[in-house]
């Protein structure tokens, strides 16, 4: 089935692109579908992932595309990588931040330009009755979306090979609850906004204001 929860939220993440975004970093890029969307907008993209197979697949697919900008795919572990401060206008982590210590966001923040934006499409551990209720509600909606996307893509013939030729990106269960993520991020990313999304995800958006302009 072609419905992917992370891909489903791409447009939401793209809405957070700063007006003049020249350079972006994607952390845990998997096979690079989101990085391609950034490059299509003429943005210079560095896309990293710790997994060799997905980086190789991402590079191969990228070489078949006619993008206005080439994406720099690199096999790298974000926890060991040294990022240059004040470099990226936009940093995106799609279902990847729970693979590393949450404090890694400090390193990402330091690498943002002034007015740069960090977006995290995150997974959280279900810990409350409300979490479980939302999760239950998501199940039938998920089934309807899957069917809708399947029929639409079957009819248009798009993405016929997805899931058969591309390797799957490694997954891991999230260890932090939404409350813990709210608490942990308040200190590291003052002024960040967090909202729960339906399909087992949350969206965190942080704007790197000039010193003294943040809130929280
Ligand atoms: C659930 S997958 C999501 C992949 C992709 N972002 C997507 O939306 O389909 C998480 C990705 O994070 C990568 N990852 C895990 N730990 C990492 C690390 N320390 N540094 C860089 N990437 C990492 C994994 O290899 C995997 O590709």
């Amino acid at each position: 089935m072609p419905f992917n929860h992370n891909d489903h939220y791409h447009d939401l993440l793209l809405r957070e692109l700063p007006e003049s975004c020249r350079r972006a970093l994607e952390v845990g890029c998997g096979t690079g579908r989101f990085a391609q969307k950034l490059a299509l907008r003429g943005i210079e993209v560095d896309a990293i992932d710790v997994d060799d197979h997905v980086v190789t697949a991402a590079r191969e697919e990228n070489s078949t595309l006619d993008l206005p900008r080439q994406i720099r795919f690199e096999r790298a572990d974000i926890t060991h990588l040294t990022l240059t401060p004040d470099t990226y206008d936009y940093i995106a982590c799609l279902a990847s931040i729970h693979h590393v210590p949450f404090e890694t966001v400090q390193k990402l923040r330091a690498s943002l330009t002034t007015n740069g934006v960090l977006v995290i499409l995150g997974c959280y551990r279900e810990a409350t009755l409300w979490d479980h209720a939302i999760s239950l509600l998501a199940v039938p909606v998920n089934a309807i979306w899957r069917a809708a996307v399947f029929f639409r893509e079957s009819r248009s013939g798009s993405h016929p090979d997805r899931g058969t030729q591309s390797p799957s990106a490694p997954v891991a269960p999230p260890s932090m609850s939404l409350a813990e993520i709210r608490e942990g991020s308040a200190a590291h990313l003052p002024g960040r906004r967090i909202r729960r999304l339906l399909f087992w995800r949350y969206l965190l958006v942080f704007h790197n204001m000039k010193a003294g302009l943040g809130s929280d």
Side-chain angles (χ1 to χ4, degrees):
M1 285 287 219
F3 182 51
N4 175 296
H5 297 139
N6 302 330
D7 295 5
H8 175 73
Y9 289 117
H10 281 182
D11 286 347
L12 198 62
L13 299 171
L14 291 169
R15 268 186 237 153
E16 301 295 339
L17 276 171
E19 237 168 62
S20 56
C21 180
R22 290 185 303 109
R23 200 158 170 204
L25 169 70
E26 190 191 351
V27 177
C29 61
T31 51
R33 290 189 296 274
F34 187 67
Q36 287 167 13
K37 292 187 180 170
L38 295 173
L40 268 173
R41 284 163 170 74
I43 298 167
E44 195 183 322
V45 186
D46 293 330
I48 67 156
D49 199 291
V50 75
D51 186 86
D52 235 344
H53 296 102
V54 291
V55 173
T56 303
R59 282 199 189 115
E60 277 169 11
E61 183 171 341
N62 194 48
S63 66
T64 66
L65 302 173
D66 186 20
L67 296 170
R69 285 272 186 180
Q70 277 307 302
I71 302 164
R72 271 190 299 269
F73 285 104
E74 192 186 338
R75 200 212 73 79
D77 183 335
I78 187 61
T79 58
H80 296 143
L81 196 66
T82 305
L83 297 177
T84 315
D86 194 17
T87 300
Y88 296 106
D89 304 308
Y90 183 79
I91 299 180
C93 306
L94 282 70
S96 57
I97 204 73
H98 66 285
H99 286 249
V100 297
F102 192 79
E103 292 68 36
T104 308
V105 297
Q106 292 176 84
K107 177 190 279 196
L108 303 181
R109 177 185 176 183
S111 193
L112 284 173
T113 54
T114 300
N115 297 325
V117 178
L118 167 67
V119 287
I120 295 177
L121 179 68
C123 304
Y124 59 90
R125 176 174 58 82
E126 288 170 25
T128 65
L129 266 181
W130 186 238
D131 292 341
H132 292 296
I134 297 286
S135 185
L136 217 57
L137 173 69
V139 172
V141 183
N142 181 51
I144 293 166
W145 266 102
R146 281 174 83 91
V149 172
F150 178 76
F151 285 119
R152 193 186 63 212
E153 296 201 351
S154 307
R155 283 177 57 172
S156 71
S158 60
H159 298 304
D161 296 326
R162 181 190 288 179
T164 54
Q165 289 189 349
S166 292
S168 301
V171 293
S175 62
M176 289 171 80
S177 68
L178 205 46
E180 288 164 343
I181 291 159
R182 284 185 199 283
E183 195 186 323
S185 60
H188 300 311
L189 304 170
R192 89 283 177 266
R193 286 182 281 121
I194 296 186
R195 71 176 162 115
R196 185 200 295 268
L197 304 171
L198 181 60
F199 296 128
W200 300 281
R201 302 283 183 275
Y202 66 89
L203 173 68
L204 180 154
V205 181
F206 170 74
H207 289 259
N208 192 35
M209 311 282 209
K210 277 195 182 113
L213 294 183
S215 55
D216 229 27

